[in-house]
Every structure is written in C-alpha cells, then in structure tokens.
Amino acid sequence: MTELVILGGGPAGVSAGVYAARKQINSILITDDFGGQSIVSEDIQNWIGTPHIKGADLAKNLEAHVREYAGTTLEIRDKTRVTLVEKKGETFIVHVQKRGKEIETIETKSVLVTTGSIRRKLEAVGADTFEHKGLTYCASCDGLFFAGQDVVVVGGGNAGLESALQLAAYCTKVYVFNRTTVWRADPVTLESAKKKANIILVENVVVDEIKGTQFVEGILYTENGEKKELALSGVFVEIGQMPNTEYVKDVVERNAVGNIVVDPRTQRASVTGVWAAGDCTDGLYHQNNIAAGDAVKALEDIYVWLQK
C-alpha cells in the first residue's frame, strides 16, 4: 500500500509531486499528460517568475521538474488516467488505466485530487455534428487551418479573447460573441482586442445553431432578442470548464457544478484521507498560481496527517 496517490499532472499535481518527494512520502503520481488546460496558450504572462511562456513550454518545465524527484519515494505513471476512486474501510482503491492497457488498482492511505477541468461543450443545434468539421475547442491547435477566413469565437472570458487575438493574426475577421454586456476577461486583454481592427466584439448573444453541409458554413444566433445569421467557416468555443471529478462522485461531497467541496485552510475534502486542489475544487478563484499554492498547502496538511 502506498501512502499517497496524486491524481493530475498540471501545476497543482506537479507541485504536489515535488513536495511529496521532498517530504519522502511514498507517493504515486497519475496523469494522462502534463501541463493542464494552459497547454494550449500561446503566451502565458502571469506565471510568477516567468514574464512570458508558451503553454507547451510550461508543460515541459513542469514535467522536467517533477521527474527530477522521481525515484525512491515518488513513482510517476504518465499516459495513465484515473477511472474510479472507491473507499475501502480506512483506505482507498484507485482504479487507473494506462493507454491501451487493462485497468489496474492501487490501494492508498490518502488521495489528492488535482485533475482540473474539461472544456464546456457548446449547447446549440449542430454543435456536435460539426465538431472537428469547423467547430473546435482549441484555437492554438486548429487556428491556422482558417487563415484568410472569417471565424467566430464564442466566449467573453480571457480564454475567448486570447483566442481571438491569436486568430486575428491570420484570419480576415474574428467575431467574438459574449452572452452578456459584461466581459469577464482581464481589462488589459479586452483593451488589446478592442485595438485590433479585424476583431468584432458582439454582446448579448446566444448561439442557436451551427449551419453547414460537410463543414461549417455559418452560424444562427440571437442578438438582443433579434435573430441573425452570419456566414463564416470556423467556430471556436471558449465558454468555460467543467470539473473533472466524476470518478470520485461517490466518495466526496461535490457542489451542483461538480466541484469538490474543500476546507480552504487545508484543502481537505468531506471524507478523511482525501484532499483536492486546483480547478476541480469549489475554490473561489481558479488560476495556475492558485492551483500550485493550494496543492502545496494540501501536501503540508497531508504530511502532518500521515505522521499522526
């Protein structure tokens, strides 16, 4: 039996892995990949200590850092995902599956959940039909396919406007649809978007339908109560995240959205032996720096708990 299983390889999971190794806690870190949601960002400007870094480079740095500590007390199982966590008396059984392999189980005294969140899907007619056929959830991955074309970004937060700024470099027109009149993006990001001549900001919009034959050809939407249609070839969706916590729903308390409810002083979940940190929790703010800090806080508490 191991002392701790860390689930996730983003800023929170990696921070936890480093601290667990330094405290010589017998741990296993389980992650499908490293980096978390920020891996798609072209320019992260608020990772403290690094003024500018690409998401892919941040992922490489995180992986390299935690691998420095792999060995005697820390085992890293990458390309592996958690499928279920069960409580068994005073311990936990973690079900994991390596890509293409059978499901294995790990018995552990404690669990730290840092599996973050997944992208919220667009609820509009045709959204599922045209996914990967002009509708995408990753501007960094697919943006260049739409060079010289008109596109729309759905979402008025940082992710949406950062995607729009990226797309504006090679797309003819970039419309940004915001559901309300309040833009959730940071003021500096919003101002940068307003300065781009080919970015068109549209407020009070609800997307009704994605139109096309084989690929996206247009979008039907409602703006201030008026039905409208726009011809374009690309739809980029950035409407937030959903916590990746389904596998632990029968073990710990979650809120209505699915975030794990934690004590902000210690990051303890509702069940003794389980902690959570990062975007999968009900913490008020979700950012890379906060996720890393919360994971360190959790590790400090886990260490004390294990010693007792």
Side-chain angles (χ1 to χ4, degrees), residues 124-144:
V125 176
D128 289 341
T129 302
F130 290 102
E131 188 169 342
H132 306 304
K133 297 177 182 178
L135 185 146
T136 177
Y137 292 85
C138 181
S140 296
C141 309
D142 303 321
L144 283 172

Side-chain angles (χ1 to χ4, degrees), residues 39-40 42 119 136-146 166 170 236:
I39 196 170
V40 300
E42 281 299 303
R119 293 179 181 272
T136 177
Y137 292 85
C138 181
S140 296
C141 309
D142 303 321
L144 283 172
F145 293 119
F146 299 88
Q166 178 184 335
Y170 39 78
F236 296 84

Side-chain angles (χ1 to χ4, degrees), residues 138-217:
C138 181
S140 296
C141 309
D142 303 321
L144 283 172
F145 293 119
F146 299 88
Q149 303 173 52
D150 292 348
V151 300
V152 64
V153 176
V154 182
N158 279 326
L161 289 182
E162 286 173 3
S163 293
L165 287 165
Q166 178 184 335
L167 293 166
Y170 39 78
C171 292
T172 306
K173 290 182 181 178
V174 181
Y175 297 87
V176 182
F177 285 178
N178 188 29
R179 194 176 183 89
T180 68
T181 58
V182 178
W183 294 85
R184 293 174 290 106
D186 294 333
V188 64
T189 306
L190 180 59
E191 286 305 310
S192 296
K194 287 179 177 179
K195 291 176 182 178
K196 290 287 185 180
N198 62 335
I199 293 181
I200 301 97
L201 304 180
V202 190
E203 300 176 340
N204 279 334
V205 173
V206 176
V207 177
D208 300 314
E209 184 177 355
I210 310 299
K211 302 283 287 184
T213 49
Q214 288 184 306
F215 298 96
V216 170
E217 296 173 3

Side-chain angles (χ1 to χ4, degrees), residues 212-232:
T213 49
Q214 288 184 306
F215 298 96
V216 170
E217 296 173 3
I219 189 168
L220 301 179
Y221 61 101
T222 303
E223 179 186 350
N224 292 313
E226 181 181 352
K227 298 289 184 181
K228 295 186 177 183
E229 184 172 358
L230 188 63
L232 43 77

